[in-house]
Amino acid sequence: MKDKQPRKVVIIHDIDSREIEKAILILRNGGAVTPAPAKYQIVTEAEKIIRAYSRTVEKELEQKKEPEQLREKAANTLLTLGFGIAVLLSVALSGYGVLRLIQFILEKF
């Protein structure tokens, strides 16, 4: 078992994002900084992690949307087909009605 070392935890509130409410970073080595602009390294590393997570979530959402889109397309196709059949039947029936009317008129005269 490892010795418990103190950890430095950085909590970032009020992030300008619709998806992320709060970021919690647990730094290694108690937050001991490496040379020069280490604070920028922490920020860029956190950005990389967030981007990677965002890509993963986007892929999962796309995979979930595909079956929904297929069902929606199938439903739209069936609806269009049903509407087309209804139009064809109404045209055929009205045509039949017109022909019966013409036949009735011709029989009378």
Side-chain angles (χ1 to χ4, degrees):
M1 188 167 154
K2 290 186 177 182
D3 292 331
K4 298 257 181 182
Q5 295 180 357
R7 303 274 187 211
K8 185 171 185 179
V9 177
V10 178
I11 301 174
I12 305 169
H13 297 278
D14 299 326
I15 297 173
D16 187 23
S17 170
R18 293 183 316 179
E19 290 82 21
I20 300 171
E21 179 181 338
K22 182 187 305 187
I24 301 171
L25 305 172
I26 303 171
L27 306 179
R28 295 181 193 266
N29 303 324
V33 278
T34 52
K39 56 185 165 185
Y40 297 114
Q41 291 173 354
I42 292 171
V43 171
T44 54
E45 192 170 346
E47 287 174 344
K48 287 179 189 176
I49 292 168
I50 291 169
R51 270 191 239 109
Y53 177 74
S54 295
R55 277 188 235 114
T56 302
V57 170
E58 286 173 4
K59 285 180 184 177
E60 289 174 357
L61 288 175
E62 286 177 17
Q63 289 173 350
K64 287 180 181 178
K65 281 185 179 180
E66 287 176 4
E68 287 178 18
Q69 289 173 343
L70 289 176
R71 278 194 296 270
E72 190 174 310
K73 282 184 181 179
N76 287 340
T77 303
L78 287 174
L79 185 63
T80 304
L81 182 62
F83 182 72
I85 290 172
V87 168
L88 285 174
L89 283 174
S90 65
V91 168
L93 288 174
S94 63
Y96 178 74
V98 168
L99 288 176
R100 292 290 295 177
L101 179 64
I102 292 172
Q103 181 185 9
F104 177 74
I105 292 171
L106 289 176
E107 286 177 356
K108 292 292 181 181
F109 294 105

